[in-house]
Amino acid sequence: MKKLLTIAAIAAAVVAVPLVMAQSAPQPAPQQGEQADKAQSEADAKAKRRAQATADMKAKGQQAPQREEEEEEARKKR
């Protein structure tokens, strides 16, 4: 009976230890990565649009828009 109890305890430990280790391991957060990628692509697209608009305005001989107005718009969005 003691041998059976010992074998059962060892078998439980063999199964439990990897499960506990897997649960305590840091998991990558895919949502955060996706959000970061989306935010980065939106920022890249915005920068491209802004650069194109600035280039168009310079080609027409107009002044580029003021940075203060852009910063103010960004504050309002927050």
Side-chain angles (χ1 to χ4, degrees), residues 50 53-55 57 62-70:
R50 183 176 291 158
T54 302
M57 291 182 81
Q62 299 174 350
Q63 284 186 332
Q66 297 294 325
R67 290 283 180 191
E68 293 176 12
E69 294 174 3
E70 294 172 2

Side-chain angles (χ1 to χ4, degrees), residues 20-64:
V20 170
M21 295 293 284
Q23 288 177 350
S24 65
Q27 300 289 329
Q31 292 176 346
Q32 291 177 352
E34 291 173 6
Q35 289 174 350
D37 291 342
K38 183 178 178 183
Q40 183 63 44
S41 63
E42 288 176 3
D44 291 343
K46 185 176 180 180
K48 286 179 184 178
R49 287 193 305 269
R50 183 176 291 158
Q52 184 63 41
T54 302
D56 291 344
M57 291 182 81
K58 285 183 179 179
K60 292 179 183 177
Q62 299 174 350
Q63 284 186 332

